[in-house]
């Protein structure tokens, strides 16, 4: 039986994937394939390459303290630490600034910092060199298709999968003009099934749709519509999953990378909670496969 792990997108929330991988490694849960979208591609690509959760945790914390990440500009998006009256004002100003900037430029965060981080993580390693077969999902703006990328330099593939539209520049390649796969495949269960997985475990941050907030501007309305579309598509993707692990991370803003220990621990908690069912399902699945094969 081949087990596939699908690691969903979610920006900083994706750090919880590290906790999930730690538990799987400690409990010797087999992983035969890994597919990732956005931050899930970053985490999944590194683990697929080295198969070492401890090393992944160490380098993640090192990068989170690096000037490259701190100067990337994610502080534009979050202001959760402020008292509510000030938070509302700052959010209003930031929204107008981001909206105006996005009208004038194709992206608002420079790519050089992201490239430096990905080069530090992956160097020139190829997908063909990973210890666990790996793939990442991106969207092709030319043909409007999901691209399940299975070859090339890992850093280039991950770069395409993590290029949030309007935040990072798109990636031009032989596959088209590529951006973050999260808009259509935030949970890449179909990709890991295509790789050959019989049993799919996913780590996902897409719970129930959030409560309706203010809809005073076109920007806010479009964000709400985008959220609804992602939830509907995710409900289709999730049908391919046999086990769904959902770390409880919603209290942390998606742009806040300062709570690594908290997020990793939430990933561990969610994985440990799912562990009895995972082991039971794997045993039952294995017995069924043996019975069907007559062995």
């Amino acid at each position: 039986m081949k087990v596939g792990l699908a690691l969903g997108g979610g920006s900083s929330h994706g750090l919880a994937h590290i906790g999930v991988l730690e538990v799987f490694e400690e409990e010797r849960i087999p992983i035969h394939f890994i597919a990732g979208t956005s931050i899930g591609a970053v985490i999944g690509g590194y683990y697929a390459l080295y198969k070492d959760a401890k090393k992944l945790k160490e380098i993640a914390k090192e990068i989170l303290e690096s000037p490259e990440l701190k100067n990337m500009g994610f502080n534009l998006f979050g202001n959760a630490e402020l008292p509510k009256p000030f938070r509302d004002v700052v959010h209003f100003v930031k929204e107008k600034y981001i909206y105006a900037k996005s009208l004038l430029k194709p992206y608002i965060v420079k790519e050089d910092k992201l490239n430096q981080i990905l080069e530090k993580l992956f160097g020139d390693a190829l997908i063909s060199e990973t210890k666990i077969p790996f793939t990442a999902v991106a969207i092709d703006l030319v043909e409007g298709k999901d691209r399940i990328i299975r070859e090339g330099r890992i850093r280039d593939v991950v770069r395409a999968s993590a290029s949030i539209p309007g935040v990072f520049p798109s990636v031009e390649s032989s596959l088209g003009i590529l951006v973050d796969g999260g808009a259509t495949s935030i949970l890449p269960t179909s990709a890991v099934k295509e790789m050959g997985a019989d049993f799919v475990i996913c780590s996902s941050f897409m719970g129930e749709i959030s409560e309706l907030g203010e809809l005073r501007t076109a920007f806010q309305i479009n964000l709400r519509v985008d959220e609804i579309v992602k939830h509907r598509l995710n409900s289709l993707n999730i049908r391919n999953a046999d086990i769904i692990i959902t770390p409880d991370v919603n209290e942390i803003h998606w742009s806040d990378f300062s709570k690594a220990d908290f997020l990793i621990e939430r990933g561990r908690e969610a994985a440990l909670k799912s562990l009895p069912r995972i082991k039971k399902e794997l045993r039952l699945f294995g017995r069924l496969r043996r019975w069907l094969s007559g062995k």
Side-chain angles (χ1 to χ4, degrees):
M1 179 179 61
K2 301 296 184 181
V3 177
L5 180 62
L7 300 179
S11 294
S12 67
H13 294 171
L15 295 172
H17 293 322
I18 299 173
V20 173
L21 288 165
E22 279 186 328
V23 171
F24 280 19
E25 200 169 280
E26 292 164 4
E27 297 293 330
R28 298 186 178 182
I29 301 299
I31 303 173
H32 301 99
F33 306 103
I34 297 177
T37 296
S38 199
I39 185 68
V42 179
I43 301 295
Y46 192 88
Y47 188 76
L49 183 61
Y50 294 107
K51 204 177 179 180
D52 187 334
K54 181 179 179 181
K55 185 174 183 178
L56 170 59
K57 186 175 181 178
E58 288 173 354
I59 196 165
K61 289 189 173 184
E62 181 182 332
I63 286 174
L64 291 172
E65 292 299 319
S66 70
E68 289 86 0
L69 186 77
K70 290 182 177 179
N71 295 331
M72 196 175 288
F74 277 108
N75 59 324
L76 278 175
F77 299 96
N79 47 266
E81 301 296 328
L82 295 171
K84 190 176 188 308
F86 298 101
R87 185 167 68 241
D88 291 342
V89 172
V90 172
H91 178 76
F92 178 80
V93 173
K94 283 183 176 180
E95 178 189 305
K96 297 300 177 288
Y97 173 74
I98 293 168
Y99 185 65
K101 199 168 185 180
S102 64
L103 287 175
L104 299 171
K105 300 178 64 176
Y107 53 89
I108 59 178
V109 176
K110 293 181 178 180
E111 64 180 319
D112 59 336
K113 305 298 181 186
L114 177 60
N115 289 338
Q116 289 171 26
I117 289 172
L118 294 178
E119 187 171 355
K120 185 173 184 178
L121 281 170
F122 302 110
D124 290 321
L126 303 174
I127 286 182
S128 59
E129 298 171 348
T130 59
K131 294 181 178 178
I132 302 172
F134 169 72
T135 191
V137 180
I139 299 172
D140 174 17
L141 297 180
V142 178
E143 296 188 19
K145 296 180 178 179
D146 284 351
R147 297 297 187 186
I148 299 174
I149 312 171
R150 300 177 183 173
E151 58 184 24
R153 286 194 310 188
I154 302 175
R155 76 174 193 237
D156 296 335
V157 172
V158 167
R159 167 82 174 75
S161 183
S163 289
I164 304 170
V167 177
F168 295 114
S170 56
V171 175
E172 295 189 24
S173 79
S174 60
L175 297 175
I177 301 174
L178 306 178
V179 296
D180 190 332
T184 57
S185 189
I186 196 167
L187 190 58
T189 51
S190 296
V192 82
K193 289 281 282 188
E194 284 190 26
M195 295 176 79
D198 305 302
F199 188 86
V200 176
I201 302 172
C202 67
S203 180
S204 168
F205 310 107
M206 293 288 287
E208 297 297 322
I209 196 165
S210 64
E211 292 184 10
L212 181 64
E214 294 182 340
L215 298 176
R216 295 182 300 178
T217 67
F219 186 68
Q220 291 170 332
I221 293 170
N222 275 285
L223 286 177
R224 181 63 174 182
V225 170
D226 181 64
E227 183 183 9
I228 292 169
V229 171
K230 285 181 179 179
H231 271 81
R232 290 201 181 175
L233 290 171
N234 189 57
S235 68
L236 298 176
N237 291 328
I238 221 160
R239 293 177 186 175
N240 289 316
D242 296 287
I243 298 286
I244 305 163
I245 299 172
T246 309
D248 183 9
V249 295
N250 286 334
E251 64 193 88
I252 305 298
H253 192 273
W254 64 266
S255 66
D256 185 359
F257 285 87
S258 67
K259 307 292 193 303
D261 287 329
F262 175 86
L263 291 164
I264 292 170
E265 185 56 32
R266 285 297 173 91
R268 287 188 61 87
E269 290 170 3
L272 287 168
K273 186 177 179 180
S274 299
L275 200 57
R277 188 181 167 207
I278 291 172
K279 290 183 175 180
K280 179 181 178 181
E281 294 284 344
L282 289 176
R283 285 196 300 270
L284 290 174
F285 202 95
R287 289 173 187 166
L288 178 62
R289 294 272 297 186
R290 288 194 295 272
W291 180 76
L292 290 173
S293 64
K295 295 181 180 180

